[in-house]
Amino acid sequence: MNAKPQKKRADGNRASSAPLLTFVGSDKGGIGKSFITTVITDLMEVTGTVAHIVQVDDQDRLPALYPGRVTTVVPASLDDLRRDPAFIVAAFDPFYAAVEVMMQERVPLVVDVGGPQQTVASAHVV
């Protein structure tokens, strides 16, 4: 069985059937969401697709594994929201910017939503 070679696009990625937007999340922490994110990202790389990652969490693991390819979103704290409810929108600006790049350049985006942030992210992203 011979696979057809995939055409390369202008950005160096091969045209693939990989989804452009993938969310990995759960409301429970410590169950392997970041591990699943790395598996998805690495599988895309095996097929010649370089994905970008947005983590809605403040951890060092993904930026260390994929330097220059991870955008971190740190949701607003309750104190910040009490002072200014619009702060949540500003906190997610990096996410919205990454989605714009994904749409314009057709670069896959994997979004890793940390456990405690799941509720906040689902209310403002989806």
Side-chain angles (χ1 to χ4, degrees):
M1 174 167 140
N2 292 333
K4 288 176 99 176
Q6 295 176 327
K7 294 180 181 178
K8 283 206 173 188
R9 299 186 318 229
D11 62 5
N13 278 332
R14 292 186 180 153
S16 75
S17 59
L20 279 180
L21 185 59
T22 304
F23 282 87
V24 178
S26 173
D27 57 355
K28 182 165 177 11
I31 62 167
K33 293 177 294 297
S34 294
F35 172 73
I36 296 299
T37 297
T38 61
V39 169
I40 291 169
T41 303
D42 289 348
L43 285 173
M44 286 183 182
E45 284 185 14
V46 167
T47 64
T49 302
V50 178
H52 292 270
I53 300 167
V54 171
Q55 68 172 2
V56 184
D57 205 351
D58 194 16
Q59 294 190 12
D60 298 329
R61 183 179 310 126
L62 293 173
L65 290 171
Y66 306 101
R69 292 174 39 199
V70 179
T71 299
T72 300
V73 174
V74 180
S77 69
L78 288 176
D79 288 338
D80 291 334
L81 289 174
R82 286 184 188 115
R83 282 190 296 263
D84 183 4
F87 193 80
I88 192 72
V89 175
F92 277 89
D93 278 347
F95 170 78
Y96 299 131
V99 170
E100 283 183 30
V101 169
M102 174 204 67
M103 297 300 289
Q104 291 171 355
E105 299 179 11
R106 308 292 296 168
V107 175
L109 184 64
V110 181
V111 182
D112 181 309
V113 184
Q117 289 77 22
Q118 182 71 28
T119 305
V120 173
S122 63
H124 295 283
V125 172
V126 179

